[in-house]
Amino acid sequence: MDLHGLLVDLIVNTESSMEGRCSLTRQEIFVLGWLIFYTSDRKYSDLLRECKLTPEQAQAALEGLLELDLLRTR
């Protein structure tokens, strides 16, 4: 997954339901909040710095949010 280009194309799926799902991880919550706050001009380096995540943690969080259908690509 190319995270650098993907950040610009991600949108929050406001119609997703958390019913019957497990809780989000700390990293997923940080990333989701960051994506909600920054709706444009997203930079991967900013995500890592502001969420205080390693590249591996950020990738796992993004993949988890996509898998849960909380994020979608445009």
Side-chain angles (χ1 to χ4, degrees):
M1 176 187 311
D2 176 24
L3 295 177
H4 300 276
L6 182 65
L7 287 181
V8 176
D9 295 329
L10 288 176
I11 58 171
V12 176
N13 180 9
T14 58
E15 297 177 12
S16 179
S17 171
M18 287 300 291
E19 189 174 317
R21 293 186 185 167
C22 60
S23 299
L24 297 176
T25 67
R26 179 177 170 258
Q27 290 85 5
E28 289 169 340
I29 292 169
F30 286 164
V31 170
L32 184 60
W34 188 85
L35 290 169
I36 290 169
F37 187 75
Y38 293 100
T39 56
S40 63
D41 196 33
R42 295 176 179 156
K43 295 185 175 100
Y44 187 63
S45 59
D46 293 340
L47 170 77
L48 296 177
R49 184 184 70 252
E50 293 176 16
C51 292
K52 295 183 168 89
L53 300 174
T54 65
E56 294 80 15
Q57 290 172 318
Q59 180 165 345
L62 286 167
E63 289 173 357
L65 292 168
L66 285 163
E67 187 175 302
L68 291 170
D69 197 32
L70 290 172
L71 295 178
R72 291 187 178 171
T73 55
R74 296 179 205 244

